[in-house]
Amino acid sequence: MSQDIIQQDPWASLKQFTTARIALGRTGTAIPLREVLNFRLAHAHARDAVYSALAVNALQEQLHAFYLPIVLLHSRAVDRYEYLQRPDKGRQLDAESISLLKSTAPGYLRKDVAIILADGLSATAMNVHTQPLLEVLIPLLKGAGLSLAPICIVQQGRVASGDEAGEILQAKVTLMLIGERPGLSAADSMGAYITFGPKPGITDESRNCISNIREEGLQYEAAAQKILYLIKEAIKLKLTGVALKDNTGLLE
Protein backbone atom coordinates (compact mmCIF):
# COMPACT_ATOMS: atom_id res chain seq x y z
CA MET A 1 0.00 0.00 0.00
CA SER A 2 1.27 3.49 -0.83
CA GLN A 3 -0.04 4.86 2.48
CA ASP A 4 3.05 3.69 4.37
CA ILE A 5 5.49 5.48 2.03
CA ILE A 6 7.05 8.65 3.47
CA GLN A 7 6.39 11.59 1.17
CA GLN A 8 9.37 13.97 1.10
CA ASP A 9 8.83 17.64 1.83
CA PRO A 10 9.70 20.11 -0.99
CA TRP A 11 11.91 21.98 1.50
CA ALA A 12 14.01 18.91 2.32
CA SER A 13 17.14 20.43 0.74
CA LEU A 14 17.11 23.17 3.41
CA LYS A 15 17.76 20.63 6.17
CA GLN A 16 21.48 20.78 5.35
CA PHE A 17 21.56 24.33 6.74
CA THR A 18 19.81 23.82 10.09
CA THR A 19 19.05 21.31 12.80
CA ALA A 20 15.60 22.87 13.29
CA ARG A 21 12.61 20.64 12.68
CA ILE A 22 11.69 21.53 9.14
CA ALA A 23 10.74 19.41 6.11
CA LEU A 24 9.80 16.38 8.20
CA GLY A 25 7.87 14.72 5.42
CA ARG A 26 4.62 12.87 6.02
CA THR A 27 3.00 9.50 5.85
CA GLY A 28 -0.54 10.10 4.70
CA THR A 29 -1.71 12.92 6.96
CA ALA A 30 0.67 12.06 9.80
CA ILE A 31 4.26 12.91 10.70
CA PRO A 32 6.52 9.91 10.05
CA LEU A 33 7.09 7.69 13.09
CA ARG A 34 10.84 8.30 12.90
CA GLU A 35 10.30 12.04 13.38
CA VAL A 36 7.88 11.49 16.26
CA LEU A 37 10.48 9.34 18.03
CA ASN A 38 13.23 11.88 17.32
CA PHE A 39 11.06 14.60 18.85
CA ARG A 40 10.50 12.56 22.00
CA LEU A 41 14.22 11.84 22.27
CA ALA A 42 15.09 15.52 21.90
CA HIS A 43 12.51 16.40 24.56
CA ALA A 44 14.08 13.85 26.89
CA HIS A 45 17.54 15.32 26.29
CA ALA A 46 16.20 18.80 27.07
CA ARG A 47 14.64 17.63 30.34
CA ASP A 48 17.83 15.82 31.30
CA ALA A 49 19.84 18.99 30.64
CA VAL A 50 17.61 21.08 32.90
CA TYR A 51 18.16 18.66 35.77
CA SER A 52 21.84 17.99 35.04
CA ALA A 53 24.53 18.88 37.59
CA LEU A 54 27.85 20.60 37.23
CA ALA A 55 30.78 18.19 37.27
CA VAL A 56 32.47 20.48 39.78
CA ASN A 57 35.52 18.34 40.54
CA ALA A 58 36.28 17.72 36.88
CA LEU A 59 35.69 21.38 36.07
CA GLN A 60 38.06 22.54 38.80
CA GLU A 61 40.71 20.13 37.56
CA GLN A 62 40.39 21.51 34.04
CA LEU A 63 40.57 25.11 35.25
CA HIS A 64 43.89 24.56 37.06
CA ALA A 65 45.54 24.71 33.62
CA PHE A 66 44.86 28.47 33.49
CA TYR A 67 46.85 29.28 36.67
CA LEU A 68 44.14 31.40 38.20
CA PRO A 69 42.51 31.02 41.62
CA ILE A 70 39.19 29.19 41.55
CA VAL A 71 36.37 30.17 43.90
CA LEU A 72 33.46 27.78 44.38
CA LEU A 73 30.22 29.63 45.11
CA HIS A 74 26.54 28.81 45.51
CA SER A 75 23.34 30.76 44.99
CA ARG A 76 20.60 31.02 47.61
CA ALA A 77 18.72 28.21 45.85
CA VAL A 78 19.62 25.19 47.96
CA ASP A 79 18.86 22.57 45.30
CA ARG A 80 17.65 22.15 41.74
CA TYR A 81 13.99 22.09 42.65
CA GLU A 82 14.17 25.39 44.51
CA TYR A 83 16.28 26.83 41.69
CA LEU A 84 13.56 26.08 39.16
CA GLN A 85 10.71 27.27 41.37
CA ARG A 86 12.42 30.40 42.76
CA PRO A 87 14.38 32.19 40.02
CA ASP A 88 15.03 35.08 42.43
CA LYS A 89 17.16 32.85 44.67
CA GLY A 90 19.26 31.73 41.73
CA ARG A 91 20.13 35.38 41.08
CA GLN A 92 21.62 35.90 44.53
CA LEU A 93 24.69 34.41 46.21
CA ASP A 94 24.29 32.79 49.58
CA ALA A 95 25.90 34.29 52.69
CA GLU A 96 28.83 31.86 52.72
CA SER A 97 29.70 32.70 49.12
CA ILE A 98 29.59 36.44 49.81
CA SER A 99 31.88 35.98 52.81
CA LEU A 100 34.27 33.88 50.74
CA LEU A 101 34.48 36.49 48.00
CA LYS A 102 35.06 39.27 50.51
CA SER A 103 38.13 37.39 51.74
CA THR A 104 39.73 37.54 48.27
CA ALA A 105 43.35 38.69 48.45
CA PRO A 106 43.72 42.37 47.50
CA GLY A 107 46.03 41.42 44.65
CA TYR A 108 43.11 39.75 42.84
CA LEU A 109 40.70 42.68 43.18
CA ARG A 110 40.03 45.50 40.69
CA LYS A 111 40.89 43.40 37.64
CA ASP A 112 39.62 44.06 34.15
CA VAL A 113 37.59 40.85 33.76
CA ALA A 114 35.96 38.43 36.18
CA ILE A 115 35.05 35.13 34.52
CA ILE A 116 32.08 33.50 36.22
CA LEU A 117 30.72 30.07 35.37
CA ALA A 118 27.21 28.93 36.27
CA ASP A 119 25.13 25.85 35.53
CA GLY A 120 22.07 27.85 34.47
CA LEU A 121 19.48 25.68 32.77
CA SER A 122 21.97 23.26 31.23
CA ALA A 123 24.92 22.15 33.31
CA THR A 124 25.50 19.72 30.44
CA ALA A 125 26.57 22.66 28.28
CA MET A 126 29.05 23.84 30.90
CA ASN A 127 30.51 20.39 31.43
CA VAL A 128 31.13 20.02 27.69
CA HIS A 129 32.10 23.49 26.48
CA THR A 130 33.81 25.37 29.33
CA GLN A 131 37.33 24.04 28.92
CA PRO A 132 37.58 24.20 25.11
CA LEU A 133 36.19 27.75 25.03
CA LEU A 134 38.50 29.00 27.79
CA GLU A 135 41.50 27.36 26.14
CA VAL A 136 40.95 29.77 23.26
CA LEU A 137 39.59 32.76 25.19
CA ILE A 138 41.97 33.18 28.14
CA PRO A 139 45.13 33.47 25.98
CA LEU A 140 43.28 36.07 23.87
CA LEU A 141 42.34 38.09 26.95
CA LYS A 142 45.85 37.95 28.35
CA GLY A 143 47.34 38.73 24.94
CA ALA A 144 45.20 41.89 24.84
CA GLY A 145 46.70 42.97 28.17
CA LEU A 146 43.53 42.38 30.19
CA SER A 147 43.94 41.34 33.81
CA LEU A 148 41.82 38.50 35.20
CA ALA A 149 40.15 38.02 38.57
CA PRO A 150 39.76 34.57 40.13
CA ILE A 151 37.47 32.26 38.17
CA CYS A 152 34.18 31.80 40.03
CA ILE A 153 31.95 28.74 39.73
CA VAL A 154 28.37 29.33 40.86
CA GLN A 155 26.21 26.28 41.51
CA GLN A 156 22.46 26.78 40.99
CA GLY A 157 23.29 30.17 39.51
CA ARG A 158 21.49 32.47 37.11
CA VAL A 159 23.01 35.31 35.10
CA ALA A 160 22.48 37.98 37.75
CA SER A 161 24.45 36.02 40.36
CA GLY A 162 27.53 37.24 38.52
CA ASP A 163 26.66 40.87 39.26
CA GLU A 164 27.12 40.38 42.99
CA ALA A 165 30.36 38.47 42.49
CA GLY A 166 31.71 41.07 40.09
CA GLU A 167 30.90 43.93 42.45
CA ILE A 168 32.65 42.29 45.39
CA LEU A 169 35.69 41.54 43.21
CA GLN A 170 35.53 45.15 41.94
CA ALA A 171 35.97 43.95 38.37
CA LYS A 172 35.44 46.33 35.48
CA VAL A 173 33.59 43.69 33.46
CA THR A 174 32.05 40.33 34.24
CA LEU A 175 31.89 37.53 31.72
CA MET A 176 29.20 35.09 32.76
CA LEU A 177 29.36 31.75 30.94
CA ILE A 178 26.17 29.83 31.60
CA GLY A 179 24.15 26.91 30.30
CA GLU A 180 21.26 28.18 28.21
CA ARG A 181 17.68 26.98 28.32
CA PRO A 182 17.72 23.79 26.22
CA GLY A 183 15.64 23.59 23.08
CA LEU A 184 14.51 20.66 21.02
CA SER A 185 17.46 20.96 18.65
CA ALA A 186 20.16 21.85 21.20
CA ALA A 187 20.34 20.74 24.83
CA ASP A 188 23.97 21.77 25.35
CA SER A 189 24.12 25.42 24.27
CA MET A 190 26.31 27.83 26.27
CA GLY A 191 25.66 31.55 26.55
CA ALA A 192 28.09 34.37 27.36
CA TYR A 193 26.84 37.53 29.12
CA ILE A 194 29.11 40.56 29.32
CA THR A 195 28.35 43.28 31.89
CA PHE A 196 30.28 46.49 32.53
CA GLY A 197 30.29 47.85 36.08
CA PRO A 198 28.55 44.82 37.63
CA LYS A 199 26.36 45.39 40.65
CA PRO A 200 23.11 43.88 41.97
CA GLY A 201 20.00 45.25 40.29
CA ILE A 202 21.39 45.50 36.77
CA THR A 203 18.85 44.33 34.21
CA ASP A 204 19.35 42.53 30.93
CA GLU A 205 19.30 45.56 28.63
CA SER A 206 22.63 46.51 30.26
CA ARG A 207 24.33 43.30 29.10
CA ASN A 208 25.57 41.90 25.83
CA CYS A 209 24.74 38.27 25.10
CA ILE A 210 26.45 35.80 22.80
CA SER A 211 24.34 32.70 22.38
CA ASN A 212 24.52 29.15 21.03
CA ILE A 213 28.20 28.50 21.78
CA ARG A 214 28.81 24.87 20.85
CA GLU A 215 30.42 22.84 18.11
CA GLU A 216 27.24 22.77 16.00
CA GLY A 217 26.52 26.46 16.57
CA LEU A 218 28.90 29.36 17.22
CA GLN A 219 32.24 27.59 17.46
CA TYR A 220 34.84 28.31 20.13
CA GLU A 221 37.27 30.43 18.10
CA ALA A 222 34.52 32.67 16.71
CA ALA A 223 32.87 32.97 20.12
CA ALA A 224 36.15 33.83 21.83
CA GLN A 225 36.96 36.52 19.25
CA LYS A 226 33.50 38.06 19.65
CA ILE A 227 33.76 38.00 23.46
CA LEU A 228 37.20 39.66 23.32
CA TYR A 229 35.90 42.37 20.99
CA LEU A 230 32.91 43.18 23.21
CA ILE A 231 34.99 43.23 26.40
CA LYS A 232 37.56 45.59 24.89
CA GLU A 233 34.80 47.87 23.59
CA ALA A 234 33.01 47.76 26.95
CA ILE A 235 36.12 48.90 28.80
CA LYS A 236 36.88 51.59 26.23
CA LEU A 237 33.33 52.98 26.17
CA LYS A 238 32.53 52.15 29.82
CA LEU A 239 29.21 50.50 28.97
CA THR A 240 27.52 47.34 27.81
CA GLY A 241 24.02 46.47 26.67
CA VAL A 242 21.86 48.05 24.02
CA ALA A 243 24.29 50.96 23.62
CA LEU A 244 27.20 48.65 22.74
CA LYS A 245 26.98 47.33 19.19
CA ASP A 246 29.00 44.60 17.53
CA ASN A 247 30.49 46.49 14.60
CA THR A 248 32.99 43.85 13.57
CA GLY A 249 33.00 43.30 9.84
CA LEU A 250 31.58 46.74 9.02
CA LEU A 251 33.40 49.08 6.65
CA GLU A 252 35.44 51.73 8.38
Side-chain angles (χ1 to χ4, degrees):
M1 297 288 291
S2 59
Q3 291 182 345
D4 59 1
I5 297 175
I6 296 176
Q7 299 179 28
Q8 295 299 320
D9 192 288
W11 289 5
S13 62
L14 299 179
K15 291 173 72 70
Q16 63 182 303
F17 302 111
T18 179
T19 57
R21 281 183 167 74
I22 63 170
L24 301 181
R26 61 188 177 88
T27 301
T29 59
I31 297 174
L33 177 61
R34 177 186 60 208
E35 299 298 339
V36 173
L37 295 177
N38 286 340
F39 177 88
R40 291 181 179 178
L41 179 62
H43 186 259
H45 284 320
R47 288 178 60 87
D48 287 346
V50 168
Y51 287 97
S52 60
L54 276 176
V56 175
N57 292 336
L59 194 54
Q60 287 179 296
E61 187 66 28
Q62 294 166 359
L63 294 175
H64 287 317
F66 303 115
Y67 301 102
L68 289 167
I70 301 165
V71 185
L72 187 59
L73 308 174
H74 205 289
S75 76
R76 290 182 57 203
V78 297
D79 55 32
R80 200 62 178 169
Y81 296 99
E82 186 170 46
Y83 174 86
L84 294 172
Q85 294 173 4
R86 291 288 304 273
D88 57 313
K89 290 192 174 184
R91 299 185 185 109
Q92 304 170 58
L93 298 176
D94 64 15
E96 184 177 350
S97 296
I98 292 172
S99 178
L100 185 60
L101 282 172
K102 287 182 175 178
S103 68
T104 301
Y108 285 104
L109 299 176
R110 293 179 291 278
K111 300 298 185 181
D112 293 320
V113 184
I115 298 174
I116 301 163
L117 315 174
D119 39 15
L121 287 168
S122 176
T124 300
M126 301 304 294
N127 295 337
V128 173
H129 303 306
T130 297
Q131 182 186 21
L133 175 64
L134 292 182
E135 283 179 346
V136 180
L137 177 61
I138 287 180
L140 287 177
L141 295 173
K142 290 181 176 180
L146 298 170
S147 58
L148 302 180
I151 298 176
C152 298
I153 302 174
V154 184
Q155 296 182 84
Q156 310 300 348
R158 294 183 183 268
V159 173
S161 63
D163 298 334
E164 199 164 20
E167 182 184 49
I168 296 171
L169 292 171
Q170 302 174 51
K172 291 180 182 177
V173 173
T174 56
L175 169 62
M176 167 66 83
L177 300 178
I178 191 167
E180 295 184 304
R181 180 181 290 105
L184 292 174
S185 60
D188 65 338
S189 178
M190 173 192 282
Y193 290 81
I194 300 163
T195 307
F196 181 83
K199 60 182 179 180
I202 286 179
T203 48
D204 286 343
E205 83 282 352
S206 297
R207 314 183 198 280
N208 290 86
C209 175
I210 300 169
S211 187
N212 197 32
I213 301 172
R214 59 191 185 100
E215 280 290 335
E216 299 80 7
L218 184 62
Q219 297 188 344
Y220 306 130
E221 179 68 36
Q225 291 288 352
K226 194 171 291 289
I227 289 169
L228 173 65
Y229 170 82
L230 289 172
I231 288 176
K232 290 169 64 177
E233 289 294 293
I235 292 174
K236 180 173 71 176
L237 300 175
K238 295 182 171 54
L239 55 83
T240 46
V242 295
L244 177 59
K245 305 302 182 182
D246 181 358
N247 293 320
T248 53
L250 298 182
L251 295 175
E252 297 294 338

